[in-house]
Amino acid sequence: MIDLKTLTLQLIDGEPNGIKLCRLAGSTLMTVVVPRDLLSQAKKLPDIPKRGVYYLLDDNKGRLRRVYAGQTVQGISRLDDHFVKKNWWNTAVMFLGPDSEFSLDVVSGLEERMIGYIANHGSYVAENSVIPKPFVSPYTEAFIAGLHEDILFRMGVLGFDLDAVGEDVSDDGGVFHTPRRGIDAFGRYDSGAGRFVVLAGSQVDMDCRCGTKDRPVKRLEDLRSMLKNDGSIAEDAAGAWRVNCDVEFSTPSAAAVFVLGGSQNGWTEWVSDAGETLSAVYRGK
């Protein structure tokens, strides 16, 4: 006996790395994959349900570094608040269904399962600080469990393995950001290789050239131009220029000059969430 599941995957505008709609035969649950930089476009899609749950992912080609789970009654528009307040995610995966089948109790119970699961699986950082404890009717427990299994199956098919364990998805120094001039850029430092990665979703100050008037940094200006031309640097809904892929640099200073322009010392420009500079975290050890 062969157990078959039929999954329909639709690519908006035919882009393999763009917005995706996923449906499973026999299920009313719709999966919507939303790249961060395409949020404004995703909100314009017609006939998308409003109620459901979602993951925010810090995804690097299928390697998950940070994961957050939540619920929504606003559909894709729920991501607007996360776009402003959580700058680390680059992909959202939403699971939305009709109000008639997904009561608020079901959605809350499903959210609880999702948060509990990511807290105990994989080697990524689970960004939810609290696991909620909503009342779940015993009559809906089996339905919720089935939905969660369906979601895990779809995540695996889409290439987001919530059970993946590996040294390359974690980092000892966490995420660093740039506080200067309000530029919303963030990245990770690989202490073993001595390299710095500017993460997808980071803002780039395209109005400020790399280097000084007397000493321009041509290789970084050329890199900006190349990424802009191939669409890897694009304007978001607010008019800010952002990279939509990870960009690796040989030094923290090169990474800082790339996103901020001018002449920068990356060891002091990159700061942790605790307010420590990259130098304090690594050179102070």
Side-chain angles (χ1 to χ4, degrees):
M1 179 178 176
I2 300 176
D3 183 16
L4 294 177
K5 290 187 178 182
T6 302
L7 202 69
T8 302
L9 184 64
Q10 297 172 303
L11 309 179
I12 302 301
D13 295 330
E15 292 293 334
N17 296 319
I19 303 166
K20 300 179 181 71
L21 302 180
C22 176
R23 297 176 175 86
L24 186 65
S27 172
T28 58
L29 190 67
M30 175 187 291
T31 303
V32 187
V33 180
V34 184
R36 181 187 179 97
D37 60 310
L38 296 178
L39 175 55
S40 60
Q41 180 182 344
K43 291 191 296 180
K44 298 176 183 177
L45 293 174
D47 304 322
I48 302 296
K50 300 291 187 182
R51 189 173 291 181
V53 291
Y54 59 89
Y55 295 108
L56 301 180
L57 309 175
D58 178 2
D59 168 57
N60 180 22
K61 298 178 181 179
R63 296 185 179 94
L64 301 180
R65 294 174 293 208
R66 302 168 79 175
V67 180
Y68 175 91
Q71 64 169 285
T72 179
V73 294
Q74 302 171 288
I76 296 175
S77 294
R78 174 68 180 93
L79 300 179
D80 283 339
D81 186 57
H82 292 312
F83 188 93
V84 174
K85 296 180 179 179
K86 294 181 175 64
N87 59 18
W88 54 264
W89 64 276
N90 54 32
T91 305
V93 186
M94 310 193 79
F95 304 89
L96 307 170
D99 292 359
S100 58
E101 293 188 27
F102 296 91
S103 67
L104 292 178
D105 288 345
V106 168
V107 170
S108 296
L110 186 55
E111 179 194 40
E112 177 191 12
R113 276 183 175 264
M114 291 168 59
I115 294 175
Y117 192 90
I118 64 174
N120 294 288
H121 291 75
S123 57
Y124 45 78
V125 175
E127 288 291 327
N128 296 84
S129 57
V130 177
I131 300 178
K133 296 294 181 184
F135 169 77
V136 177
S137 168
Y139 297 105
T140 61
E141 287 181 350
F143 180 58
I144 292 171
L147 283 175
H148 187 235
E149 288 299 318
D150 184 0
I151 286 172
L152 293 176
F153 169 75
R154 298 188 192 205
M155 289 290 285
V157 170
L158 291 168
F160 305 121
D161 186 0
L162 293 176
D163 294 306
V165 175
E167 293 181 358
D168 56 353
V169 300
S170 62
D171 189 271
D172 55 349
V175 175
F176 293 80
H177 64 276
T178 55
R180 185 184 293 270
R181 301 198 307 272
I183 299 300
D184 178 29
F186 38 95
R188 293 180 184 274
Y189 181 62
D190 183 338
S191 58
R195 304 180 71 84
F196 194 94
V197 177
V198 173
L199 300 177
S202 292
Q203 185 180 353
V204 179
D205 189 352
M206 299 293 281
D207 295 328
C208 186
R209 71 169 60 187
C210 297
T212 63
K213 182 178 180 180
D214 296 330
R215 298 182 63 184
V217 185
K218 186 176 184 300
R219 63 185 177 84
L220 294 180
E221 281 290 295
D222 290 346
L223 178 60
R224 282 182 172 186
S225 296
M226 182 187 71
L227 294 177
K228 182 180 177 182
N229 290 337
D230 70 13
S232 296
I233 294 181
E235 284 188 289
D236 64 17
W241 292 95
R242 295 183 183 274
V243 291
N244 52 41
C245 62
D246 292 353
V247 186
E248 185 177 276
F249 297 89
S250 58
T251 66
S253 294
V257 172
F258 174 79
V259 299
L260 294 171
S263 179
Q264 312 294 341
N265 180 351
W267 289 100
T268 56
E269 289 298 334
W270 295 106
V271 180
S272 71
D273 289 341
E276 292 184 297
T277 65
L278 189 68
S279 177
V281 173
Y282 285 97
R283 291 175 169 175
K285 290 182 179 179

